[in-house]
Amino acid sequence: MTLAILFSAQPLALAKTPVPGADLASVRTWLLTHNPDLQAMQADAEAAQARIHPAGAMPDPRVEIRLQRMGDTGSAFYGVKQPIPLWGKRGLARDIARRQADAAGLEREAAALDLLARAEQAYVRFWHAGTGVEVLDRQVRLLAQMEEIARLRYSLGVAAQQDSIRAQVARTTLQAERIRRLAVRDEAMAALNAALGRQADARLAEPADEPVLALPTASLGDALGLLAMSRHPALEASTAMAGAADIAALLQRRQRFPDLTLGVGRMRRDDQADANEIMFEVEIPLQQRARREREREARQMAVAARARTEALETALQGQLGQAWAQAGSARERRQLIEQTLLPQAQANFESALASYRVGEVDFGTLLEALDGWLGADLARADARRDELIGAAAVRALLGSVE
C-alpha cells in the first residue's frame, strides 16, 4: 500500500480512531491522521500548489490618470498599461512553481516514512520492554518455588538456611531489574507518543501480540535494486527541486531579452476628446555584469541541487545497508538462541533443579543455571527487538507501509 492511498483514507479514519498501541496498524493510522508535523507539511504542500497559477499569470495592468490646468483650459489623460512577459517566461515560471509543489508533496511523503519508522521502532521498544518484564516475572515465580524447596530441605536438615536467603537476594535483584525495565518501557511510551504527536503521558493500548515487520526482499542486493526502482520520496523531491533549479537557470538566461509594456490612452481637453495614444515600452538591458552574475548564480544553484540529489541517493543506499545488516545480524542471533542456546539453558536449569531436590548439586549451581536461562531468554528478546528495529528502517527506506 502506498502513502498516497493511506493519505486519501484519512477523512474516514478521522471519524473514529481507536487509542493506538494494540498493534502496528493502530500506530500507523493514528500517525497519518493526527501527527501535527504531517498536517503542517500538508498545508505547505497545498500552499505550494496554490502558487502554480499565479507564478505564470499576466501582471496586473496599471491605470494612469493625469489632470492638468493651464489658465482657463483644462485637460485630462486616461491611460492603461499592460506589462507583457515574452519569450516563454510565464511558462517557465509556472513550471518552476509546479516542480516546487511536487517537491513539497514528496517531502511530506518522505517525512511520513521517517515518522513511521520512528513510531514503529518506538513501538518495538515499548513491546520489548513489556516482554522483558514478563520474562523477569516468570523467573521471579521460579525463584519463589526454589525458595520453598530450599526452606523444605532446610526443615529436613539436608540444606543450609543460606540457600533460602540466597533465593531471596536473587528475587530482590530481579525486582530491581524489573523496575529498570519498567522505566525503559515508560521512555518508549513517551517516544512513541512523541512520534504520534501526542502528549508524553497519553494512554497507549497494551500490545496484543509480538509486532510483525517482514523485510520486503530476500537480500540486500534485491533491496538496493528496489530502492533504485521505487525511488524514495526524498530522492524524488530532491530531483524535482533540481529540475526547478535547471528551469530557473533557463529563465534567468531568458532575462537577456526584454519584456514589452503596451499602453493605450486618451487625452480630453475641455470635455472634448482631442487625441488617442498607443505606447510601447521596452527595457534596455544595460546592466550586463549584474545580469551575468545572476545567470552564474542560477547555474551554480542548479549544479548544487543535482549534487545534493546524488549525495542523498548515496546516503539512502548507505542507510539501507546499515539497517539491513542490523536486521540480518539480529535475526541470526535470535535463531541461534531460539534453536540452540535457549533449549540448552532450559534443560540445564531443569536438570539442576531435579539434582538439587535430591541433594546432588548445591544451591549456587541451581542459581547459576537459572541465571543462564534468564540471560538466554532476555537475549532472545533483545535480538528480536534489534531485528524489528532494523526491519522498520529497511521498510521505511523502501516505502513499505503495511
Side-chain angles (χ1 to χ4, degrees), residues 160-292:
Q161 186 180 15
Q162 184 184 12
D163 291 354
S164 177
I165 297 174
R166 291 182 67 181
Q168 294 173 7
V169 171
R171 285 179 62 188
T172 303
T173 301
L174 288 183
Q175 288 169 352
E177 176 64 15
R178 186 179 189 276
I179 292 172
R180 188 190 70 81
R181 288 185 175 264
L182 285 174
V184 172
R185 185 173 183 271
D186 291 340
E187 293 175 5
M189 288 178 60
L192 177 55
N193 277 324
L196 297 178
R198 308 172 79 223
Q199 290 185 353
D201 60 348
R203 185 178 69 87
L204 289 170
E206 291 296 324
D209 204 348
E210 177 179 312
V212 177
L213 289 169
L215 292 174
T217 61
S219 68
L220 177 57
D222 293 340
L224 290 171
L226 183 59
L227 176 65
M229 180 178 61
S230 61
R231 302 275 290 179
H232 192 275
L235 190 59
E236 291 283 5
S238 183
T239 301
M241 291 302 294
D246 288 334
I247 299 173
L250 176 59
L251 177 60
Q252 191 58 50
R253 289 195 297 273
R254 295 283 178 89
Q255 299 300 335
R256 301 176 183 178
F257 310 111
D259 297 331
L260 175 68
T261 298
L262 175 64
V264 295
R266 170 171 288 190
M267 175 74 73
R268 297 181 63 87
R269 182 175 299 168
D270 294 334
D271 297 329
Q272 298 295 324
D274 292 341
N276 295 323
E277 180 181 283
I278 298 178
M279 178 192 66
F280 296 91
E281 289 183 3
V282 177
E283 293 182 355
I284 301 176
L286 293 179
Q287 303 299 326
Q288 293 298 312
R289 181 178 178 181
R291 178 185 57 77
R292 286 193 295 268

Side-chain angles (χ1 to χ4, degrees), residues 44-100:
D44 288 339
E46 293 177 3
Q49 288 288 336
R51 286 193 290 268
I52 295 176
H53 177 75
M58 287 284 289
D60 289 330
R62 297 192 298 270
V63 175
E64 181 181 0
I65 300 176
R66 294 198 303 266
L67 302 176
Q68 294 180 347
R69 187 78 181 178
M70 298 181 63
D72 296 333
T73 303
S75 64
F77 174 81
Y78 306 93
V80 178
K81 294 181 180 180
Q82 174 64 62
I84 304 176
L86 301 176
W87 322 108
K89 296 177 184 177
R90 292 170 54 208
L92 291 175
R94 186 177 288 119
D95 287 343
I96 294 172
R98 183 176 293 111
R99 298 209 179 203
Q100 290 173 342

Side-chain angles (χ1 to χ4, degrees), residues 21 75 82 113 118 124 149 156 181 183 190 203 236 315 361 363 383:
S75 64
Q82 174 64 62
L113 287 175
R118 286 170 48 194
V124 167
I149 295 173
L156 296 175
R181 288 185 175 264
R203 185 178 69 87
E236 291 283 5
V361 298
F363 196 76

Side-chain angles (χ1 to χ4, degrees), residues 140-152:
V140 168
R141 289 193 294 271
L142 283 174
L143 273 172
Q145 296 175 14
M146 291 165 54
E147 184 182 351
E148 287 296 327
I149 295 173
R151 274 203 295 262
L152 177 60

